[in-house]
Amino acid sequence: MTVRYETRGPVALVTMNRPRYRNAQNSAMTYALDDAFTRAVNDSDVAVIVLAGAGDHFSAGHDIGTPERDADTEFPRRAVPWWDHTDKAGADRRFAREMEVYLGMCRRWREMPKPSIAMVQGACVAGGLMLAWVCDLIVAAEDAFFADPVLRMGIPGVEYFAHPWTLGARMAREVLFTGDRFGARRAYEVGMVNRVVPREELETETFALAGRIAQMPPFGLALAKRAINLCEDQMGMRSGMDSVFGLHHLAHAHNAETSDDPLAGMDAAAMKKAAR
């Protein structure tokens, strides 16, 4: 079971469950997350959704190398009206898949009408950032660390390019230009994280916050969430993401032409080594 689902009163807890691989996101996990979020949205007794990661880490990002990597497997497409990628080649193949599972799914989850909170411990890297960023609030343990190191692949950031809006332009540049990790306290200082708490208090504090939010009128919460999302989009977030998604795929195509590898030879092991 790649994702666990449970309810605690008015709060749904959605837990990524691949701790052996630091909750790396394959397509099976992505669609299981979508199932869980849909279940929570459709349950009138659920007011708030908490997203968590089993084990020591929230998520190390996209699955680019585990034995369960399933990039060649077809799944029922839900996020965008685009064709299946598995029988395509070249840029068509990668663009179709990433429109669906990465950019499309994250936008779909950002627009859920119920508030969501990311409960983050340990690694929150690359695709892990995307999952945390689609949530309305982030509560981080003191041991949490964040990074988008994909510039090491020659790629200008992950597919859901929310960096300038969640980090501010200067911090976004530093994070992308260096690929370095930054801790929970720094994330709080730049406004990316709402609260930083001791690891042993992470769940208690997150559910206390969720409980307070759950007391608010549900339709009012949905409208407030939509209002903020609309304002972010009017500040260029959606159109900016569309533009950068094109640059992202230009980088993949460049890598494929110059190195026969759209990731520029940076597999999971190489990325981990470079981060040290």
Side-chain angles (χ1 to χ4, degrees):
M1 183 184 299
T2 58
V3 171
R4 301 197 308 261
Y5 182 92
E6 63 178 285
T7 56
R8 301 182 187 177
V11 181
L13 175 60
V14 176
T15 305
M16 294 176 282
N17 191 34
R18 299 185 74 206
R20 179 181 178 185
Y21 303 115
R22 294 185 169 191
N23 297 314
Q25 307 151 29
N26 58 5
S27 292
M29 174 182 279
T30 299
Y31 284 93
L33 281 172
D34 191 64
D35 287 338
F37 290 143
T38 301
R39 181 177 175 183
V41 168
N42 288 335
D43 186 344
S44 58
D45 292 329
V46 168
V48 181
I49 302 164
V50 171
L51 176 62
D56 293 333
H57 301 281
F58 179 75
S59 176
H62 300 328
D63 187 342
I64 60 173
T66 82
E68 297 165 13
R69 187 168 188 261
D70 51 12
D72 296 326
T73 303
E74 180 181 1
F75 287 83
R77 294 171 301 286
R78 304 174 192 168
V80 294
W82 204 275
W83 48 71
D84 173 43
H85 71 282
T86 56
D87 60 349
K88 302 297 186 291
D92 188 351
R93 175 186 181 88
R94 184 172 293 274
F95 191 86
R97 179 170 187 268
E98 294 192 356
M99 274 284 288
E100 167 70 11
V101 241
Y102 296 155
L103 180 60
M105 279 295 188
C106 282
R107 282 178 165 171
R108 175 175 164 88
W109 299 335
R110 174 180 177 253
E111 294 173 0
M112 293 186 296
K114 296 183 179 182
S116 56
I117 304 174
M119 183 168 68
V120 179
Q121 82 283 4
C124 182
V125 175
L129 277 178
M130 291 167 50
L131 295 184
W133 284 347
V134 300
C135 293
D136 300 296
L137 304 174
I138 300 174
V139 179
E142 291 172 340
D143 69 346
F145 62 89
F146 308 87
D148 184 0
V150 301
L151 193 59
R152 295 192 178 107
M153 300 174 175
I155 297 170
V158 290
E159 296 84 354
Y160 183 81
F161 193 83
H163 307 61
W165 293 272
T166 58
L167 295 168
R170 295 199 184 279
M171 183 64 176
R173 291 186 181 100
E174 180 180 338
V175 167
L176 290 169
F177 292 177
T178 66
D180 289 346
R181 298 174 175 179
F182 58 102
R185 186 58 57 185
R186 180 67 170 142
Y188 177 80
E189 289 171 352
V190 300
M192 191 193 96
V193 161
N194 296 88
R195 299 184 183 183
V196 179
V197 299
R199 175 68 174 269
E200 62 273 15
E201 298 175 16
L202 178 61
E203 186 170 316
T204 300
E205 291 293 326
T206 302
F207 274 83
L209 177 59
R212 289 191 62 193
I213 295 169
Q215 297 173 19
M216 300 295 279
F219 188 51
L221 286 170
L223 293 179
K225 176 169 180 171
R226 182 161 177 78
I228 294 168
N229 284 355
L230 287 170
C231 289
E232 283 185 323
D233 288 342
Q234 288 168 356
M235 290 186 282
M237 185 169 176
R238 187 175 185 90
S239 58
M241 279 189 186
D242 285 335
S243 299
V244 178
F245 192 68
L247 299 178
H248 181 100
H249 282 272
L250 172 62
H252 278 310
H254 175 74
N255 288 342
E257 284 194 31
T258 58
S259 68
D260 295 325
D261 179 357
L263 301 182
M266 296 296 287
D267 59 14
M271 291 292 283
K272 184 177 179 180
K273 181 179 180 181
R276 291 174 179 169

